[in-house]
Amino acid sequence: MFAMTMNNIQTKQNTCIGEEAPCVMACPIRQDARDYVQLIARGLFKEAYRLVRERNTLPASCGRICTHPCETKCRRNSTDKPIAIAWLKRFLSDNYSENIYTRPEQTYPERIAIIGAGPAGLAAANDLALMGYSCTIFESNPHPGGMLRMGVPTYRLPRNAIDQDVEFIRQLGVEIKYNTTLGKDVTFDSLKKEGYAAIFIGVGLLDSRNLPIEGAEYDGVLKGISFLREVNTTGTAEIGKNVLVIGGGAVAMDCARTALRLKPEKVSVACLESRNEMPTTDFEIEEAVHEGVILYNSVGPKRILGEHGRATGLETLRVKYVFDEQKRFHPAFYEGSESVIEADTIILAIGQTSNLSFLINQEEIEVSRGATIVVDPNTFETSMPGIYAGGDIVLGRGTLTDGLAQGKKAAISIHNALRNENRNDEKWANKPEVPKLADARVPLIKKEQKQDMPMLSLSKRLHSFDEVELGFSHEVAVREAQRCMNCGAGAFVDEHLCVGCITCVRVCPFDVPEFRNGEITAYIGGDCQSCGLCIVECPAKAISFKTPLEDSGRERLKALFQDTPVQKTKPLIVNFYCQYGSPVAGSFEGKSNAVIEKHVKRIGVLGLGKVEPSLYLNALEWGADGVLITACKEDECHFCAEYEWIKKRSEYVSGFLNEIGMDARIFQTHFVSSQTDNAFVDIAVQMVKDIEQINLVKSA
Ligand code: SF4
Ligand code: SF4
């Protein structure tokens, strides 16, 4: 457990200098996606979870329903498919979730009232509590989560994921008063009288947008948000046999898939957009279709048809275009293209709107024409001093991470106002982004299959609201994380040390180092893949990694020899192995091996090209009886070109040991397909026997 407060945010070192990875810049909360993905790739799961939670108030929820703009911007899109960043976050919260904070020692006397236990309110409460403020959340529902709980179906977001996230916020001392509605149970005045120094409004968009067409008043016409809320709170809702959802976004997909689970005969979705224009993720659309939802794309609602006061269908018009030349939402239709989609239940899911009834008699708070609360964009303060707002109620729409970002920013602003400070969070500073992968580089980078999410079978899905996505195993998570290119955190050249020898240009498998515009020192751009070859080969030692997270094994080797039981192990073999060949190196084909466990200490590195040959000699010098290198086979190398270098460096070390009269068997290099299969076990066990024999001969 480590204590960290928001004060640390200002001083915490940026892990990288220069350009930032696009996945980080795309995230509304600037989550350190690259770094936690890299930690997973190295098997450092607890550290990865902590990094996630430092920035993200709701990792378990976010790992499931975030719209992941990071993946849209991921540079792996240029070679094959983006890294499954959100699913990796979910993997961490499923398996490594813990309270990483202790309550801050320094506290302030002011109390803060927060309206709404949704993403914005929870984020504001979390960060204010970490800064030392006493926070109370007033939530109108009997449970936390706001629209996450009321609006998102449980098959996408099980409620224990929300509860898990909220519990850690509660452990910071945040109090949540449920069934307490602003404007009814409490008012701004009553909260001020109770002594709250600032109030943050973080309520969601609680109503569905109306569709002003003929027939919208018929029985059987439901509003999407009300429908979802009913099913989410009671487990069911009254629908007919033939359900039609109007809308093409995430809420429409949620309504359709929720309706399917109530077992009507048919569920369809009709939307203005073509399949490619639909404003939700491909994954959501594909899953809806896979479950049996029928899509009617490029149709607009003309009127709802009905008989005896009950809806019987939707008359539609074919859409000419949805957006005009200025890319504004301005749908146009083909005249005379009417057709009818029959339905006895029509669910309107064309967007959400706010319910500002809590502002009645609060004229001082300025509201926009779109029924959102107007705030100062820098301070999040409303037109009423001391009252702040953020999230959907300000944005008029928004994702989970947009809500979190607004809550976090407002928390800093409230602190600044109360303490007359000018604190800011450097994570939101504008930074240059690593540019798109150069076209010429794409064929040099190995394509790596994106890992699939294991899914609940179709037959089980449609009979329950059980979670559909089952989560990554450790092995799958590591494989997926190892596809990441560590963008922006690769090698850089110290121009004061570079001697212009062009070694880096010569060794780089990806043609990254260059001498720009006649400069006499090398430059390494953002396309560096972090293989480390140039770092080891540079004769001037002018190259290093930008990130301290990169690890060539040196510190772990040192730590190994500080461990007394390890020093006493005889024989002791240090095995340097490539982690790309070994997603999870704990067991061997599911079993442990007593000989390896006792005699072989393993140091995994993401690519052995990063390891200086001197480290192998250090291992022998510091007490190892043997050094075993297990690298990937030539055609299986993640970096495509490390085989020759590892072979060459091994030959150099072997030659040196031979010259000083050492037995060749104490230093062995093998190229293997797996670091955990029986072939590896045979190699390691045989080497233990070899060394035992050498030691016997020596002692005879
Ligand atoms: S490859 Fe990795 S670092 Fe690069 S954008 Fe994708 S997730 Fe981020
Ligand atoms: S670390 Fe590897 S990919 Fe990056 S510049 Fe050096 S040799 Fe090229």
Side-chain angles (χ1 to χ4, degrees):
M1 181 98 62
F2 61 96
M4 184 181 151
T5 69
M6 289 295 284
N7 292 325
N8 298 96
I9 286 177
Q10 287 169 298
T11 53
K12 193 175 162 226
Q13 285 288 309
N14 191 355
T15 53
C16 166
I17 53 175
E19 295 159 329
E20 187 59 275
C23 54
V24 180
M25 295 301 282
C27 175
I29 58 166
R30 298 276 167 94
Q31 174 87 72
D32 318 68
R34 177 196 62 212
D35 290 350
Y36 80 71
V37 170
Q38 285 292 315
L39 287 167
I40 297 172
R42 290 164 174 74
L44 298 169
F45 307 121
K46 282 188 174 185
E47 291 81 352
Y49 174 78
R50 287 176 176 199
L51 194 61
V52 168
R53 180 61 181 89
E54 276 181 29
R55 197 70 199 157
N56 194 325
T57 321
L58 306 175
S61 308
C62 201
R64 289 171 163 86
I65 64 158
C66 180
T67 52
H68 43 71
C70 53
E71 296 183 22
T72 309
K73 292 292 290 293
C74 174
R75 295 170 82 242
R76 259 281 174 197
N77 280 302
S78 302
T79 62
D80 34 52
K81 288 199 169 154
I83 308 300
I85 300 171
W87 286 342
L88 287 172
K89 186 188 291 134
R90 172 183 164 180
F91 160 77
L92 294 173
S93 68
D94 280 355
N95 296 285
Y96 294 93
S97 171
E98 62 170 340
N99 184 9
I100 66 163
Y101 294 113
T102 50
R103 292 191 192 187
E105 280 162 23
Q106 186 193 1
T107 56
Y108 298 114
E110 291 91 347
R111 294 156 65 214
I112 317 293
I114 288 162
I115 312 299
L122 290 168
N126 178 83
D127 287 9
L128 283 161
L130 283 174
M131 284 188 257
Y133 293 95
S134 161
C135 297
T136 306
I137 302 180
F138 298 90
E139 166 60 50
S140 57
N141 291 301
H143 301 285
M147 289 308 287
L148 297 182
R149 191 178 286 268
M150 291 297 124
V152 183
T154 52
Y155 64 82
R156 285 214 294 135
L157 179 59
R159 297 322 187 225
N160 58 3
I162 304 173
D163 294 339
Q164 174 184 310
D165 285 333
V166 173
E167 177 55 20
F168 294 140
I169 301 166
R170 224 189 40 74
Q171 286 176 20
L172 290 170
V174 172
E175 184 191 8
I176 308 181
K177 289 193 174 172
Y178 296 110
N179 302 310
T180 309
T181 305
L182 179 66
K184 190 172 136 220
D185 304 304
V186 290
T187 63
F188 294 136
D189 280 346
S190 73
L191 291 172
K192 283 180 189 167
K193 276 189 199 132
E194 275 187 58
Y196 288 99
I199 299 169
F200 174 75
I201 308 169
V203 301
L205 301 178
L206 305 175
D207 288 342
S208 288
R209 232 177 252 289
N210 279 326
L211 185 62
I213 56 171
E214 187 186 323
E217 73 287 355
Y218 283 136
D219 285 349
V221 179
L222 309 177
K223 288 189 171 179
I225 292 294
S226 312
F227 168 71
L228 289 173
R229 186 185 292 136
E230 191 176 349
V231 178
N232 286 333
T233 47
T234 68
T236 189
E238 209 175 296
I239 55 169
K241 290 181 176 165
N242 186 358
V243 179
L244 174 67
V245 179
I246 303 180
V251 173
M253 294 302 116
D254 284 349
C255 288
R257 294 177 71 190
T258 297
L260 265 181
R261 283 158 174 77
L262 301 178
K263 304 194 188 65
E265 287 172 5
K266 182 183 167 195
V267 176
S268 336
V269 167
C271 63
L272 295 169
E273 297 86 357
S274 66
R275 172 74 174 70
N276 292 334
E277 290 168 329
M278 287 171 72
T280 186
T281 61
D282 277 348
F283 186 80
E284 278 303 310
I285 302 167
E286 280 158 18
E287 288 308 307
V289 171
H290 179 57
E291 289 179 0
V293 172
I294 297 161
L295 286 186
Y296 294 97
N297 288 106
S298 303
V299 291
K302 185 179 176 196
R303 62 184 173 126
I304 293 173
L305 307 173
E307 273 173 27
H308 312 300
R310 179 150 194 110
T312 56
L314 178 75
E315 188 172 61
T316 64
L317 285 167
R318 220 150 43 81
V319 172
K320 241 188 226 173
Y321 54 80
V322 182
F323 301 97
D324 64 17
E325 282 174 357
Q326 279 78 45
K327 302 210 179 336
R328 286 175 309 203
F329 180 74
H330 193 232
F333 304 94
Y334 290 101
E335 272 184 37
S337 64
E338 285 83 353
S339 63
V340 171
I341 304 170
E342 288 182 3
D344 55 17
T345 304
I346 295 179
I347 302 177
L348 308 179
I350 54 161
Q352 290 104 265
T353 185
S354 60
N355 179 338
L356 295 177
S357 52
F358 61 85
L359 288 184
I360 289 170
N361 301 328
Q362 300 292 343
E363 285 77 24
E364 302 97 302
I365 295 204
E366 188 186 343
V367 172
S368 74
R369 283 173 59 195
T372 58
I373 295 181
V374 176
V375 296
D376 178 312
N378 296 315
T379 65
F380 293 85
E381 194 167 24
T382 66
S383 49
M384 199 167 171
I387 300 197
Y388 299 77
D392 291 358
I393 199 71
V394 167
L395 296 167
R397 45 118 209 117
T399 62
L400 163 56
T401 39
D402 286 330
L404 292 177
Q406 294 235 314
K408 290 173 83 63
K409 288 176 181 171
I412 296 175
S413 168
I414 291 170
H415 167 84
N416 285 341
L418 293 177
R419 305 256 80 74
N420 198 20
E421 281 187 17
N422 198 16
R423 182 181 288 194
N424 59 50
D425 180 346
E426 63 169 33
K427 285 272 188 180
W428 275 299
N430 275 332
K431 280 182 214 146
E433 211 171 274
V434 183
K436 194 171 164 281
L437 206 58
D439 288 347
R441 204 95 57 215
V442 173
L444 303 177
I445 294 168
K446 193 174 170 189
K447 288 192 195 316
E448 303 271 5
Q449 171 85 34
K450 182 173 181 175
Q451 300 297 310
D452 290 330
M453 172 57 79
M455 305 290 274
L456 195 67
S457 70
L458 202 52
S459 57
K460 283 189 183 156
R461 284 188 207 190
L462 298 181
H463 291 93
S464 75
F465 283 89
D466 288 354
E467 186 166 25
V468 165
E469 295 168 16
L470 300 178
F472 280 167
S473 67
H474 280 68
E475 177 165 347
V476 169
V478 173
R479 276 198 197 286
E480 182 59 23
Q482 289 183 348
R483 299 176 59 238
C484 171
M485 300 190 293
N486 205 13
C487 305
F492 81 104
V493 180
D494 182 337
E495 57 181 29
H496 303 294
L497 296 176
C498 177
V499 292
C501 68
I502 70 164
T503 302
C504 53
V505 177
R506 199 166 45 78
V507 304
C508 179
F510 304 100
D511 294 339
V512 179
E514 56 181 322
F515 285 80
R516 295 184 303 178
N517 307 325
E519 282 177 12
I520 54 164
T521 54
Y523 170 79
I524 294 178
D527 283 359
C528 169
Q529 299 295 301
S530 302
C531 76
L533 282 176
C534 63
I535 295 176
V536 174
E537 296 304 320
C538 172
K541 295 286 161 248
I543 313 177
S544 51
F545 281 117
K546 292 173 191 165
T547 166
L549 294 180
E550 274 296 354
D551 175 13
S552 66
R554 182 170 292 281
E555 294 311 313
R556 278 176 291 155
L557 186 68
K558 277 190 197 159
L560 201 61
F561 289 103
Q562 279 157 10
D563 183 318
T564 317
V566 170
Q567 284 170 343
K568 287 188 181 154
T569 303
K570 284 289 163 195
L572 171 65
I573 293 173
V574 175
N575 169 219
F576 290 92
Y577 69 95
C578 178
Q579 284 183 305
Y580 285 115
S582 171
V584 183
S587 64
F588 303 96
E589 301 202 339
K591 288 179 254 152
S592 61
N593 182 291
V595 175
I596 296 179
E597 221 163 86
K598 182 166 178 206
H599 295 286
V600 182
K601 300 301 162 204
R602 310 197 73 190
I603 296 183
V605 180
L606 279 177
L608 292 180
K610 293 183 177 77
V611 186
E612 298 252 6
S614 61
L615 205 60
Y616 306 144
L617 294 170
N618 289 147
L620 294 170
E621 189 190 330
W622 295 339
D625 299 293
V627 171
L628 171 63
I629 314 294
T630 45
C632 300
K633 289 191 168 166
E634 187 172 13
D635 56 350
E636 291 168 359
C637 175
H638 174 84
F639 294 116
C640 302
E642 298 214 319
Y643 173 84
E644 281 303 330
W645 287 100
I646 291 161
K647 211 162 102 179
K648 199 167 139 190
R649 290 174 192 171
S650 294
E651 282 164 5
Y652 164 78
V653 174
S654 293
F656 175 79
L657 292 172
N658 187 32
E659 264 178 40
I660 60 170
M662 305 297 284
D663 191 309
R665 287 174 297 173
I666 69 163
F667 180 78
Q668 298 184 24
T669 302
H670 295 265
F671 292 92
V672 296
S673 277
S674 156
Q675 303 288 346
T676 54
D677 67 1
N678 287 334
F680 169 82
V681 171
D682 290 347
I683 290 167
V685 171
Q686 182 57 48
M687 187 164 177
V688 173
K689 285 185 192 156
D690 289 347
I691 307 266
E692 278 171 341
Q693 203 186 17
I694 295 167
N695 288 353
L696 257 181
V697 172
K698 270 197 215 157
S699 61

